[in-house]
mmCIF file of all heavy atoms in Angstrom:
data_model
loop_
_atom_site.group_PDB
_atom_site.id
_atom_site.type_symbol
_atom_site.label_atom_id
_atom_site.label_comp_id
_atom_site.label_asym_id
_atom_site.label_seq_id
_atom_site.Cartn_x
_atom_site.Cartn_y
_atom_site.Cartn_z
ATOM 1 N N ALA A 355 -89.776 177.740 -2.025
ATOM 2 C CA ALA A 355 -89.192 179.037 -2.311
ATOM 3 C C ALA A 355 -88.098 179.385 -1.311
ATOM 4 O O ALA A 355 -88.052 178.861 -0.248
ATOM 5 C CB ALA A 355 -90.272 180.082 -2.346
ATOM 6 N N ASP A 356 -87.305 180.355 -1.708
ATOM 7 C CA ASP A 356 -86.317 180.943 -0.793
ATOM 8 C C ASP A 356 -87.059 181.962 0.149
ATOM 9 O O ASP A 356 -88.223 182.271 -0.112
ATOM 10 C CB ASP A 356 -85.250 181.701 -1.614
ATOM 11 C CG ASP A 356 -85.845 182.799 -2.426
ATOM 12 O OD1 ASP A 356 -86.274 182.438 -3.587
ATOM 13 O OD2 ASP A 356 -85.919 183.969 -2.018
ATOM 14 N N PRO A 357 -86.462 182.345 1.223
ATOM 15 C CA PRO A 357 -87.143 183.179 2.203
ATOM 16 C C PRO A 357 -87.705 184.477 1.618
ATOM 17 O O PRO A 357 -88.773 184.953 2.024
ATOM 18 C CB PRO A 357 -86.115 183.486 3.262
ATOM 19 C CG PRO A 357 -85.191 182.309 3.185
ATOM 20 C CD PRO A 357 -85.133 181.933 1.723
ATOM 21 N N TYR A 358 -86.986 185.089 0.675
ATOM 22 C CA TYR A 358 -87.426 186.367 0.080
ATOM 23 C C TYR A 358 -88.714 186.187 -0.725
ATOM 24 O O TYR A 358 -89.694 186.951 -0.546
ATOM 25 C CB TYR A 358 -86.366 186.922 -0.800
ATOM 26 C CG TYR A 358 -85.160 187.477 0.006
ATOM 27 C CD1 TYR A 358 -84.073 186.624 0.292
ATOM 28 C CD2 TYR A 358 -85.130 188.810 0.450
ATOM 29 C CE1 TYR A 358 -82.975 187.130 1.001
ATOM 30 C CE2 TYR A 358 -84.066 189.292 1.161
ATOM 31 C CZ TYR A 358 -83.009 188.436 1.464
ATOM 32 O OH TYR A 358 -81.903 188.904 2.177
ATOM 33 N N ASN A 359 -88.768 185.188 -1.599
ATOM 34 C CA ASN A 359 -89.944 185.011 -2.416
ATOM 35 C C ASN A 359 -91.110 184.444 -1.587
ATOM 36 O O ASN A 359 -92.273 184.732 -1.913
ATOM 37 C CB ASN A 359 -89.645 184.091 -3.592
ATOM 38 C CG ASN A 359 -88.898 184.826 -4.673
ATOM 39 O OD1 ASN A 359 -89.419 185.643 -5.418
ATOM 40 N ND2 ASN A 359 -87.575 184.565 -4.772
ATOM 41 N N ALA A 360 -90.804 183.620 -0.566
ATOM 42 C CA ALA A 360 -91.870 183.136 0.278
ATOM 43 C C ALA A 360 -92.500 184.311 1.039
ATOM 44 O O ALA A 360 -93.749 184.400 1.128
ATOM 45 C CB ALA A 360 -91.274 182.143 1.291
ATOM 46 N N ALA A 361 -91.736 185.214 1.521
ATOM 47 C CA ALA A 361 -92.290 186.368 2.268
ATOM 48 C C ALA A 361 -92.999 187.281 1.288
ATOM 49 O O ALA A 361 -94.032 187.857 1.641
ATOM 50 C CB ALA A 361 -91.144 187.135 2.929
ATOM 51 N N LEU A 362 -92.484 187.445 0.066
ATOM 52 C CA LEU A 362 -93.132 188.278 -0.936
ATOM 53 C C LEU A 362 -94.566 187.782 -1.257
ATOM 54 O O LEU A 362 -95.525 188.581 -1.285
ATOM 55 C CB LEU A 362 -92.284 188.304 -2.202
ATOM 56 C CG LEU A 362 -92.885 189.064 -3.399
ATOM 57 C CD1 LEU A 362 -93.157 190.519 -3.087
ATOM 58 C CD2 LEU A 362 -91.948 188.918 -4.632
ATOM 59 N N VAL A 363 -94.683 186.477 -1.514
ATOM 60 C CA VAL A 363 -96.016 185.953 -1.878
ATOM 61 C C VAL A 363 -96.988 186.029 -0.707
ATOM 62 O O VAL A 363 -98.159 186.319 -0.833
ATOM 63 C CB VAL A 363 -95.918 184.536 -2.464
ATOM 64 C CG1 VAL A 363 -95.652 183.520 -1.372
ATOM 65 C CG2 VAL A 363 -97.157 184.193 -3.236
ATOM 66 N N ARG A 364 -96.488 185.777 0.500
ATOM 67 C CA ARG A 364 -97.328 185.854 1.683
ATOM 68 C C ARG A 364 -97.792 187.314 1.934
ATOM 69 O O ARG A 364 -98.924 187.547 2.305
ATOM 70 C CB ARG A 364 -96.632 185.344 2.908
ATOM 71 C CG ARG A 364 -96.506 183.827 3.004
ATOM 72 C CD ARG A 364 -96.222 183.360 4.446
ATOM 73 N NE ARG A 364 -95.995 181.941 4.510
ATOM 74 C CZ ARG A 364 -94.852 181.299 4.589
ATOM 75 N NH1 ARG A 364 -93.751 182.031 4.552
ATOM 76 N NH2 ARG A 364 -94.773 180.000 4.671
ATOM 77 N N PHE A 365 -96.885 188.244 1.715
ATOM 78 C CA PHE A 365 -97.221 189.646 1.894
ATOM 79 C C PHE A 365 -98.311 190.082 0.972
ATOM 80 O O PHE A 365 -99.265 190.752 1.370
ATOM 81 C CB PHE A 365 -95.960 190.470 1.706
ATOM 82 C CG PHE A 365 -96.216 192.008 1.817
ATOM 83 C CD1 PHE A 365 -96.441 192.593 3.029
ATOM 84 C CD2 PHE A 365 -96.247 192.783 0.675
ATOM 85 C CE1 PHE A 365 -96.671 193.949 3.151
ATOM 86 C CE2 PHE A 365 -96.484 194.126 0.753
ATOM 87 C CZ PHE A 365 -96.706 194.744 2.008
ATOM 88 N N MET A 366 -98.246 189.732 -0.293
ATOM 89 C CA MET A 366 -99.224 190.117 -1.261
ATOM 90 C C MET A 366 -100.573 189.395 -1.006
ATOM 91 O O MET A 366 -101.645 190.005 -1.206
ATOM 92 C CB MET A 366 -98.747 189.867 -2.686
ATOM 93 C CG MET A 366 -97.612 190.797 -3.100
ATOM 94 S SD MET A 366 -97.224 190.723 -4.877
ATOM 95 C CE MET A 366 -96.628 189.072 -4.945
ATOM 96 N N PHE A 367 -100.500 188.138 -0.654
ATOM 97 C CA PHE A 367 -101.762 187.391 -0.388
ATOM 98 C C PHE A 367 -102.474 187.957 0.879
ATOM 99 O O PHE A 367 -103.660 188.009 0.896
ATOM 100 C CB PHE A 367 -101.367 185.924 -0.148
ATOM 101 C CG PHE A 367 -102.546 185.005 0.013
ATOM 102 C CD1 PHE A 367 -103.390 184.711 -1.014
ATOM 103 C CD2 PHE A 367 -102.804 184.384 1.225
ATOM 104 C CE1 PHE A 367 -104.499 183.899 -0.890
ATOM 105 C CE2 PHE A 367 -103.854 183.532 1.404
ATOM 106 C CZ PHE A 367 -104.724 183.273 0.366
ATOM 107 N N GLU A 368 -101.694 188.423 1.830
ATOM 108 C CA GLU A 368 -102.289 188.933 3.080
ATOM 109 C C GLU A 368 -102.775 190.388 2.952
ATOM 110 O O GLU A 368 -103.733 190.765 3.597
ATOM 111 C CB GLU A 368 -101.279 188.831 4.224
ATOM 112 C CG GLU A 368 -101.798 189.357 5.550
ATOM 113 C CD GLU A 368 -100.737 189.207 6.650
ATOM 114 O OE1 GLU A 368 -100.128 188.135 6.788
ATOM 115 O OE2 GLU A 368 -100.531 190.154 7.423
ATOM 116 N N THR A 369 -102.119 191.201 2.101
ATOM 117 C CA THR A 369 -102.447 192.627 2.061
ATOM 118 C C THR A 369 -103.078 193.088 0.748
ATOM 119 O O THR A 369 -103.487 194.234 0.699
ATOM 120 C CB THR A 369 -101.120 193.438 2.278
ATOM 121 O OG1 THR A 369 -100.216 193.174 1.156
ATOM 122 C CG2 THR A 369 -100.429 193.031 3.561
ATOM 123 N N ALA A 370 -103.090 192.254 -0.271
ATOM 124 C CA ALA A 370 -103.555 192.669 -1.625
ATOM 125 C C ALA A 370 -102.684 193.729 -2.219
ATOM 126 O O ALA A 370 -103.144 194.512 -3.079
ATOM 127 C CB ALA A 370 -105.024 193.115 -1.538
ATOM 128 N N ALA A 371 -101.466 193.816 -1.823
ATOM 129 C CA ALA A 371 -100.508 194.758 -2.390
ATOM 130 C C ALA A 371 -100.220 194.347 -3.835
ATOM 131 O O ALA A 371 -100.121 193.193 -4.154
ATOM 132 C CB ALA A 371 -99.253 194.816 -1.568
ATOM 133 N N ARG A 372 -100.030 195.362 -4.691
ATOM 134 C CA ARG A 372 -99.630 195.116 -6.051
ATOM 135 C C ARG A 372 -98.127 194.798 -6.066
ATOM 136 O O ARG A 372 -97.406 195.167 -5.180
ATOM 137 C CB ARG A 372 -99.899 196.337 -6.925
ATOM 138 C CG ARG A 372 -101.395 196.636 -7.059
ATOM 139 C CD ARG A 372 -101.637 197.868 -7.912
ATOM 140 N NE ARG A 372 -103.071 198.138 -8.033
ATOM 141 C CZ ARG A 372 -103.889 197.565 -8.873
ATOM 142 N NH1 ARG A 372 -103.430 196.672 -9.731
ATOM 143 N NH2 ARG A 372 -105.167 197.884 -8.921
ATOM 144 N N ILE A 373 -97.679 194.099 -7.133
ATOM 145 C CA ILE A 373 -96.302 193.653 -7.164
ATOM 146 C C ILE A 373 -95.345 194.868 -7.139
ATOM 147 O O ILE A 373 -94.294 194.813 -6.496
ATOM 148 C CB ILE A 373 -96.050 192.800 -8.433
ATOM 149 C CG1 ILE A 373 -94.600 192.319 -8.481
ATOM 150 C CG2 ILE A 373 -96.422 193.541 -9.714
ATOM 151 C CD1 ILE A 373 -94.177 191.429 -7.321
#
Side-chain angles (χ1 to χ4, degrees):
D356 58 276
Y358 288 90
N359 284 286
L362 174 61
V363 75
R364 284 199 183 101
F365 177 75
M366 290 190 296
F367 186 67
E368 180 178 313
T369 65
R372 296 179 181 277
I373 181 62

